Amino acid sequence: MRPFTFINVASSVDGKISNEKRIQLRISCEEDLKRVDELRAKSDAIMVGIGTVLSDNPKLTVKSEELRKRRLEEGRDANPIRVVVDSKCRIPLDAKVLDESAKTIVAVSRIANSEKVNTLRRMGVDVFVAGDDKVDLKALVEYLYKIGVRVLMVEGGATLNWAMLREGLVDEIYVYYGNMIIGGSKAPTVVDGMSFDPPISLDLLDVRKLGRGILTRWRVLR
Ligand SMILES: NC(=O)c1ccc[n+]([C@@H]2O[C@H](COP(=O)([O-])OP(=O)(O)OC[C@H]3O[C@@H](n4cnc5c(N)ncnc54)[C@H](O)[C@@H]3O)[C@@H](O)[C@H]2O)c1
Ligand SMILES: Nc1nc(=O)c(N)c(NC[C@H](O)[C@H](O)[C@H](O)COP(=O)(O)O)[nH]1
């Protein structure tokens, strides 16, 4: 068993999610950031790859006080669980995702340095070990389900999106297209990695104008 899982990503019209320097680029408009916050508030956990932590240093918390309050009233934690997929356990100890504002799970593989793993555990971080060199994503989502996660939001980046799709672990995808072209053959895209052969088919669930861009919602067909 695994949680209902969706990817949310902000893309330029040419499919890039950052530029070749892999810095954090603002693609979403205010309206979209509000929508992302609402999706976070509905989720039990938010997952990102270590590449995103190293380049963006996201906090992955619910920004609206009202939405955090509503979660508390529902008997949930104010913020969803944060999950970092980090095979070699490269996460900086001062990463924002390790702060006190929410529970954090760092998923590593068996090649991770055991001293670093122990340091994280002493800091109160739940370190989940699965996979020989890369994190075993199937085992990870099964573990998340076991601890009560029913809705999982994946917030990138390009490599984690690809790996989750390849493993057949994604139910839906939201792509927000911002009003820009980023360009660059080395810039990360919505999905990197190797091409799927045949391509993964999608069903269009919704499309609408949002701010100065377009929000699309897709169901992943198996
Ligand atoms: N616009 C957006 O919505 C958005 C969202 C998130 C990230 N980003 C951008 O994406 C870029 C980061 O993407 P990325 O592709 O470099 O990194 P990523 O965040 O996808 O992390 C990938 C890393 O995860 C680790 N990993 C562990 N187990 C794995 C597995 N089974 N399969 C695959 N990877 C596994 C590997 O170390 C791999 O390098 C940054 O530029 C960031 O700004 C954009
Ligand atoms: N939805 C979205 N629109 C963007 O324009 C953009 N650049 C990202 N990028 C995702 C990335 O990981 C961000 O860094 C986190 O969304 C920040 O999360 P915090 O505010 O720190 O909680 N995401």
Side-chain angles (χ1 to χ4, degrees), residues 88-168:
K88 297 182 193 141
C89 202
R90 291 187 288 157
I91 190 164
L93 295 177
D94 61 354
K96 286 186 196 160
V97 283
L98 297 179
D99 73 8
E100 301 292 310
S101 40
K103 282 185 193 152
T104 303
I105 298 172
V106 176
V108 304
S109 73
R110 282 184 270 278
I111 58 169
N113 179 293
S114 51
E115 262 177 49
K116 178 86 177 277
V117 166
N118 287 334
T119 305
L120 286 174
R121 285 187 170 142
R122 278 195 297 272
M123 288 166 65
V125 177
D126 176 4
V127 183
F128 176 78
V129 187
D132 291 330
D133 52 347
K134 292 242 170 263
V135 172
D136 181 337
L137 296 171
K138 276 194 181 127
L140 174 60
V141 296
E142 278 166 18
Y143 169 70
L144 292 176
Y145 188 87
K146 222 167 74 187
I147 63 168
V149 174
R150 295 294 177 268
V151 180
L152 172 64
M153 176 170 182
V154 178
E155 279 204 54
T159 309
L160 181 66
N161 291 348
W162 168 76
M164 288 291 288
L165 284 161
R166 186 194 50 180
E167 299 296 319

Side-chain angles (χ1 to χ4, degrees), residues 10 24-25 27-28 40 52 56 58-61 63 155:
Q24 191 179 29
L25 260 192
I27 299 166
S28 297
R40 283 184 180 185
T52 297
D56 295 1
K59 196 164 170 187
L60 303 181
T61 48
K63 300 296 176 286
E155 279 204 54

Side-chain angles (χ1 to χ4, degrees), residues 8 23 33 38 70 84 90 115 161 173 190 195 204 210:
N8 184 81
I23 51 159
L33 291 178
E38 284 161 8
R70 197 175 308 160
V84 182
R90 291 187 288 157
E115 262 177 49
N161 291 348
I173 307 176
V190 173
S195 297
L204 184 61
L210 182 62

